[in-house]
């Protein structure tokens, strides 16, 4: 009975925390795909983890690796284009207009610029779900050495935390690391796309030696501005 009571108390605490967080939800993102509640995006991420850690390796255990060259070329160059567009939209919706490049708050108004920031913040989040395909490609090509703990953590836990950022504070200083992340991804996916072209592109990959530094920049972009950066503007949301 004691254990049951403690479990019930924990569940009530989780529900209360969720309800408290959702009080701060930005109503402007309510109609966007995946943003109604965290259930769908959490289910997608849990499915991803299950596929990466269990289902995928079992499916490929007795199969030859897929080549996927054509798909990888289209996939990587498509992400280059998407990342470029996201960077452009972040710049035009604040960082090259009204933002000061310091600790800028979220604009919770319905001005065209504020709504544009909301759209690109959501698009950035959505791109993280597209990028789950990175790991699927590794699994199907049996590149198991590239499926590290940090890789899986980066592709699963961070999108989950970003969802809350976009749900509560789509814009402001929190969008800066998203813009930097997308800038780094332009370079990364360009490199991966050129690599997928094969020997014909090798003369243009002289900058491979700089990829480690680029990866470090991405790591800083993800880990330094944490969820608190998104939640700082919550002290007085204007729509409450």
């Amino acid at each position: 009975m004691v254990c049951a009571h403690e479990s019930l108390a924990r569940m009530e605490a989780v529900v209360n925390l969720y309800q408290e967080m959702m009080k701060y939800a930005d109503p402007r993102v309510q109609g966007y795909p995946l943003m109604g509640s965290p259930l769908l995006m959490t289910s997608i991420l849990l499915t991803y983890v299950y596929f990466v850690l269990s289902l995928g390796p079992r499916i490929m255990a007795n199969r030859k690796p897929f080549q996927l060259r054509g798909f990888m070329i289209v996939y990587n160059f498509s992400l280059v284009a998407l990342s470029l567009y996201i960077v452009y939209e972040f710049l035009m919706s604040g960082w090259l207009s009204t933002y000061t490049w310091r600790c800028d708050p979220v604009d919770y108004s319905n001005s065209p610029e504020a709504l544009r920031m909301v759209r690109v913040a959501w698009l950035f989040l959505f791109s993280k779900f597209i990028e789950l395909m990175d790991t699927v490609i590794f699994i199907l090509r049996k590149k198991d050495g590239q499926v590290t703990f940090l890789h899986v953590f980066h592709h699963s836990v961070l999108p989950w935390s970003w969802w809350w950022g976009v749900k509560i504070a789509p814009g402001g200083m929190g969008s800066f690391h998203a813009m930097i992340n997308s800038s780094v991804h332009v370079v990364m996916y360009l490199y991966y796309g050129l690599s997928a072209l094969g020997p014909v592109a090798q003369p243009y990959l002289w900058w491979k030696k700089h990829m480690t530094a680029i990866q470090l920049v991405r790591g800083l972009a993800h880990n330094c501005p944490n969820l608190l950066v998104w939640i700082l503007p919550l002290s007085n949301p204007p729509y409450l």
Side-chain angles (χ1 to χ4, degrees):
M1 290 295 294
V2 174
C3 290
H5 179 74
E6 290 179 351
S7 298
L8 182 61
R10 292 193 188 98
M11 290 180 62
E12 289 178 351
V14 170
V15 170
N16 291 336
L17 177 61
Y18 170 74
Q19 292 175 340
E20 188 65 26
M21 292 285 288
M22 293 302 285
K23 289 180 182 178
Y24 296 107
D26 189 332
R28 298 174 301 174
V29 302
Q30 181 63 30
Y32 282 83
L34 300 177
M35 300 309 297
S37 83
L39 293 179
L40 178 56
M41 69 90 181
T42 301
S43 299
I44 292 172
L45 294 173
L46 288 175
T47 302
Y48 161 80
V49 172
Y50 172 68
F51 177 84
V52 170
L53 299 183
S54 179
L55 181 61
R58 284 192 284 112
I59 291 174
M60 295 302 299
N62 298 314
R63 288 181 168 86
K64 293 181 179 180
F66 292 93
Q67 296 304 312
L68 303 177
R69 181 183 174 189
F71 175 79
M72 289 167 59
I73 292 171
V74 174
Y75 171 75
N76 286 301
F77 284 115
S78 296
L79 282 174
V80 170
L82 178 60
S83 299
L84 272 171
Y85 178 73
I86 290 172
V87 172
Y88 173 79
E89 286 296 299
F90 273 129
L91 289 171
M92 300 308 294
S93 60
W95 289 101
L96 283 185
S97 54
T98 58
Y99 282 20
T100 65
W101 293 79
R102 290 188 287 272
C103 194
D104 293 283
V106 179
D107 181 356
Y108 287 103
S109 74
N110 287 317
S111 70
E113 192 170 61
L115 293 176
R116 188 174 185 177
M117 177 61 77
V118 170
R119 285 193 295 270
V120 69
W122 174 83
L123 185 59
F124 170 78
L125 171 67
F126 189 72
S127 72
K128 301 302 112 182
F129 289 90
I130 296 175
E131 290 166 10
L132 297 179
M133 185 58 64
D134 289 4
T135 323
V136 175
I137 291 173
F138 289 155
I139 297 290
L140 296 180
R141 297 180 69 221
K142 303 188 90 167
K143 301 289 185 180
D144 299 334
Q146 294 176 287
V147 186
T148 63
F149 169 79
L150 288 177
H151 175 90
V152 177
F153 179 88
H154 163 74
H155 280 78
S156 57
V157 177
L158 293 181
W160 190 88
S161 68
W162 282 326
W163 185 92
W164 292 99
V166 174
K167 182 70 173 178
I168 295 171
M173 190 61 201
S175 66
F176 180 74
H177 89 283
M179 182 174 65
I180 296 299
N181 173 260
S182 294
S183 301
V184 171
H185 278 202
V186 170
V187 180
M188 285 181 51
Y189 284 109
L190 177 61
Y191 172 79
Y192 296 146
L194 290 173
S195 297
L197 290 174
V200 67
Q202 290 304 311
Y204 305 101
L205 296 177
W206 54 267
W207 42 282
K208 177 181 179 180
K209 59 185 178 182
H210 301 297
M211 287 300 294
T212 300
I214 293 171
Q215 293 277 8
L216 289 174
V217 169
R218 183 180 71 166
L220 290 172
H222 285 310
N223 297 317
C224 288
N226 54 39
L227 190 58
L228 291 177
V229 174
W230 290 94
I231 299 178
L232 282 175
L234 296 182
S235 57
N236 189 25
Y239 49 81
L240 291 182

